[in-house]
Amino acid sequence: MMNFKWKNIGLITCLSLALIVTGCGSIEENEQSAKSVSEELEYTITGTEPGAGQTKTNEEVLDSYDNLAGWEQELSSAGAMLTELSEAIDNEEPIIFSAWSPHYKFAKWDLKYLEDPKGIFGDEGMIKTIARKGLKDDMPEAYTILDRIHLELPDLENALLKAQDSDFEQVAKDWASTNKEIVAEWTKAVNPVDGTSIEIALLPWDDAIFTANVAKIALEEKGFDVTLTQVDPAVMFEAIATGIADVSLAAWMPVTHAYLYEQYEGEFDDLGPNLEGAKTGLAVPSYMDIDSLEDLEPKE
């Protein structure tokens, strides 16, 4: 009887040791996998321009995560970054890069944002429509249309992808032709006007150019004479706040343009989001077996 007990105890001990060894092996494999990916990436994030807002946020990320000690950000331009991304995907190689939505890259490739447990990139945002004070009284028809304009993120990103082989004006016309019922909802029960001039201030960003052209089509259907003027963010907010321009559909909130929004708050009308789900962060191709910034290893 005693021998039986000792045999059972020995068996349990062996199983326990086996489980411990197996568990340790699994942990070591995971650590090795994370280290291997980090080594393959050469502890480098592929970024964009040195002066870009996201470049600064990426630096904050590198400073804030202990496991990213020794990592660097490679900077050049958005175009160069996209070229590197394309080449990496063609060869199914690892890459971590600056990402933002809306952008055509999410319609072209299967990508995923890495989780940011510290929340440095912030929550999902939106792109808002802002109008000069008095527009609602001066041009109630235009105000109604602009207040109704809302786009879905996948639709916008697919349009931006098409615009890589065409001009934005034509892509906007094609979108409006395919989505006549949506444009009709925006202009429903709006009285036509006779050539009333309205100026839309926009940023030289692909999403802003497309959205402004779609708005132009909707406004022109009701007889407005629409002018599109590209400016930088600071000029855009100032133009709306001072009434030099009538409206913009390119105010990124709550992070990208937060400072300018707060600076001029109360000097313009906020018509709410024309697109939701806007986002910035660091992303990877979906074939990479990592999901979070914390999955990476520091440079030794």
Side-chain angles (χ1 to χ4, degrees):
M1 194 71 176
M2 184 179 293
N3 287 339
F4 177 74
K5 287 182 179 178
W6 277 110
K7 286 180 181 178
N8 277 313
I9 292 170
L11 179 60
I12 291 168
T13 302
C14 290
L15 287 172
S16 299
L17 288 170
L19 287 171
I20 291 170
V21 171
T22 302
C24 290
S26 177
I27 292 170
E28 288 173 0
E29 286 173 8
N30 289 338
E31 289 177 348
Q32 183 61 38
S33 176
K35 184 176 180 181
S36 176
V37 170
S38 300
E39 286 178 341
E40 287 180 31
L41 290 164
E42 297 182 350
Y43 308 96
T44 301
I45 291 168
T46 303
T48 57
E49 294 84 2
Q54 190 169 346
T55 297
K56 296 177 182 178
T57 308
N58 291 348
E59 292 296 339
E60 185 180 348
V61 165
L62 295 182
D63 291 339
S64 300
Y65 282 86
D66 292 340
N67 63 302
L68 295 180
W71 280 67
E72 296 180 352
Q73 181 174 197
E74 180 183 75
L75 302 176
S76 54
S77 68
M81 182 202 74
L82 290 167
T83 297
E84 287 193 42
L85 174 60
S86 178
E87 291 174 353
I89 290 174
D90 287 345
N91 297 303
E92 205 164 314
E93 295 171 345
I95 184 172
I96 295 180
F97 58 94
S98 288
W100 58 93
S101 308
H103 192 277
Y104 76 82
K105 58 182 172 285
F106 285 95
K108 184 173 183 177
W109 296 300
D110 188 10
L111 309 171
K112 61 182 179 182
Y113 280 101
L114 292 179
E115 295 172 10
D116 171 27
K118 294 183 182 293
I120 296 170
F121 286 108
D123 298 327
E124 285 189 353
M126 63 191 73
I127 303 177
K128 289 190 167 190
T129 301
I130 57 174
R132 64 170 174 82
K133 288 289 187 180
L135 182 67
K136 188 173 184 178
D137 296 326
D138 299 341
M139 304 181 200
E141 300 86 1
Y143 191 96
T144 297
I145 293 170
L146 293 162
D147 191 35
R148 291 172 175 173
I149 291 177
H150 189 279
L151 296 169
E152 298 297 329
L153 183 60
D155 289 347
L156 178 52
E157 291 183 331
N158 282 320
L160 298 183
L161 179 59
K162 292 176 182 177
Q164 301 309 300
D165 299 316
S166 182
D167 61 83
F168 283 101
E169 186 175 358
Q170 185 58 53
V171 172
K173 287 179 180 178
D174 293 342
W175 184 90
S177 177
T178 303
N179 296 276
K180 290 179 180 178
E181 70 286 353
I182 295 177
V183 178
E185 282 296 316
W186 296 345
T187 59
K188 184 178 180 180
V190 173
N191 294 324
V193 300
D194 188 14
T196 302
S197 296
I198 184 169
E199 183 172 3
I200 298 176
L202 64 146
L203 303 177
W205 300 352
D206 288 358
D207 60 277
I209 297 170
F210 173 77
T211 303
N213 273 280
V214 168
K216 182 174 183 284
I217 291 169
L219 290 165
E220 286 179 339
E221 281 193 11
K222 289 300 179 177
F224 284 94
D225 179 14
V226 184
T227 300
L228 305 183
T229 304
Q230 288 190 29
V231 293
D232 67 36
V235 174
M236 180 183 79
F237 273 87
E238 182 180 4
I240 301 301
T242 59
I244 294 173
D246 296 298
V247 67
S248 175
L249 298 94
W252 280 59
M253 292 297 288
V255 177
T256 305
H257 293 145
Y259 170 74
L260 292 166
Y261 188 100
E262 291 170 5
Q263 182 180 346
Y264 292 101
E265 192 168 8
E267 299 178 45
F268 58 80
D269 289 339
D270 184 339
L271 281 64
N274 58 67
L275 181 130
E276 295 173 280
K279 186 176 175 66
T280 60
L282 290 171
V284 297
S286 292
Y287 56 73
M288 288 182 62
D289 192 24
I290 57 172
D291 298 300
S292 170
L293 291 170
E294 292 185 336
D295 290 339
L296 300 167
E297 290 290 310
K299 184 176 181 180
E300 295 179 358

